């Protein structure tokens, strides 16, 4: 649980108890948690704006030990753990070309990869966790004789983020937007469901490249 003044608290659910209270020097933008068997193996990632207006990523274990703190090379708004690995993605969903970066947070945060959208995005950018990576969605408008709109969803692997695991382009009717999406992983099968605010629903089985 985090507040805008830089304070945050960690709670254990069963049995319910507060494990520690911490603070970063700035305003918290986003927070994510990867739980493990022990407090020292669990990780808390905090994205915040420091007193000099720079974006930073701070990492703690669930026992309250601060493992490190690094500056983000752009104005990120989201931080998301991959489900089963000690890596986080930070994302800037604004501007003409959303940017992303992956950090190893096993110990002090270490930049592994930085990239950006190849398209100018016109609306929402969302990042969702996968077991060993991330699913990214953004909306695109392009003009090639006539206005076309689509939503693009990309699977990024924590092991090799430079090469997408899969890429899906979903046409979106004029006046519509992708309202929600979800990804389900079952063994070697990955399913993607995409819904628009106009009532259309698409289901995809994703195959790795």
């Amino acid at each position: 649980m985090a507040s805008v003044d830089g304070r945050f608290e960690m709670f254990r659910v069963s049995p319910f108890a507060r494990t520690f209270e911490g603070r970063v020097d700035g305003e918290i933008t986003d927070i994510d948690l990867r739980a493990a068997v022990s407090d020292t193996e669990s990780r808390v990632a905090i994205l915040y704006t420091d007193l000099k207006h720079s974006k930073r990523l701070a990492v703690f274990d669930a026992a309250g030990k601060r493992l490190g703190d690094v500056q983000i090379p752009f104005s990120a708004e989201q931080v998301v753990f991959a489900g089963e690995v000690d890596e986080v993605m930070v994302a800037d969903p604004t501007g003409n070309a959303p940017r992303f970066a992956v950090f190893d947070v096993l110990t002090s945060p270490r930049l592994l990869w930085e990239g950006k959208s190849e398209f100018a995005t016109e609306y929402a950018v969302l990042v969702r966790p996968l077991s060993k990576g991330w699913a990214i969605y953004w909306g695109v408008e392009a003009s090639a004789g006539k206005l076309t709109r689509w939503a693009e969803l990309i699977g990024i692997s924590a092991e090799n983020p430079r090469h997408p695991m899969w890429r899906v382009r979903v046409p979106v009717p004029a006046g519509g937007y992708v309202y929600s999406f979800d990804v389900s992983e079952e063994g070697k099968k990955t399913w993607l469901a995409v819904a628009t605010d106009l009532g259309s629903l698409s289901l995809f089985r994703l195959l790795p490249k």
Side-chain angles (χ1 to χ4, degrees):
M1 186 171 66
S3 61
V4 294
D5 64 358
R7 294 182 296 112
F8 64 95
E9 297 176 280
M10 284 291 300
F11 295 88
R12 182 181 292 110
V13 176
S14 182
F16 184 80
R18 187 172 70 176
T19 58
F20 79 93
E21 180 179 355
R23 188 182 185 96
V24 293
D25 294 326
E27 181 177 320
I28 294 176
T29 304
D30 198 14
I31 186 170
D32 200 16
L33 167 70
R34 190 186 74 80
V37 175
S38 70
D39 288 349
T40 56
E41 293 176 334
S42 299
R43 294 290 181 268
V44 182
I46 297 176
L47 184 64
Y48 71 100
T49 304
D50 68 14
L51 302 179
K52 296 181 179 179
H53 306 291
S54 296
K55 284 291 184 179
R56 301 191 67 86
L57 174 67
V59 178
F60 296 78
D61 66 21
K65 180 181 179 182
R66 190 170 189 145
L67 302 177
D69 190 312
V70 295
Q71 184 171 339
I72 303 298
F74 50 84
S75 182
E77 299 293 332
Q78 293 176 276
V79 58
V80 181
F81 270 99
E84 299 176 1
V85 295
D86 288 310
E87 294 183 17
V88 295
M89 173 176 283
V90 295
D92 173 18
T94 61
N96 289 330
R99 299 173 67 182
F100 308 90
V102 174
F103 289 84
D104 183 333
V105 294
L106 179 62
T107 54
S108 182
R110 179 171 59 92
L111 180 64
L112 298 178
W113 171 78
E114 182 182 350
K116 65 179 182 179
S117 165
E118 61 191 277
F119 299 104
T121 59
E122 296 294 333
Y123 51 98
V125 175
L126 297 172
V127 179
R128 297 273 177 86
L130 302 175
S131 60
K132 296 181 180 180
W134 304 268
I136 303 173
Y137 150 74
W138 53 68
V140 177
E141 289 189 356
S143 179
K146 64 178 181 177
L147 183 66
T148 58
R149 303 175 70 235
W150 69 84
E152 188 162 62
L153 298 104
I154 298 178
I156 300 294
S157 166
E159 181 178 344
N160 189 4
R162 291 175 175 80
H163 299 284
M165 297 182 291
W166 45 263
R167 184 187 296 260
V168 176
R169 182 174 292 186
V170 182
V172 180
Y177 296 91
V178 167
Y179 188 76
S180 184
F181 79 96
D182 200 8
V183 181
S184 176
E185 298 171 292
E186 180 182 354
K188 295 183 178 180
K189 296 180 180 179
T190 302
W191 299 90
L192 170 67
V194 182
T196 73
D197 60 349
L198 298 179
S200 63
L201 175 66
S202 301
L203 180 64
F204 302 88
R205 180 181 174 187
L206 305 175
L207 302 176
K209 287 188 173 183

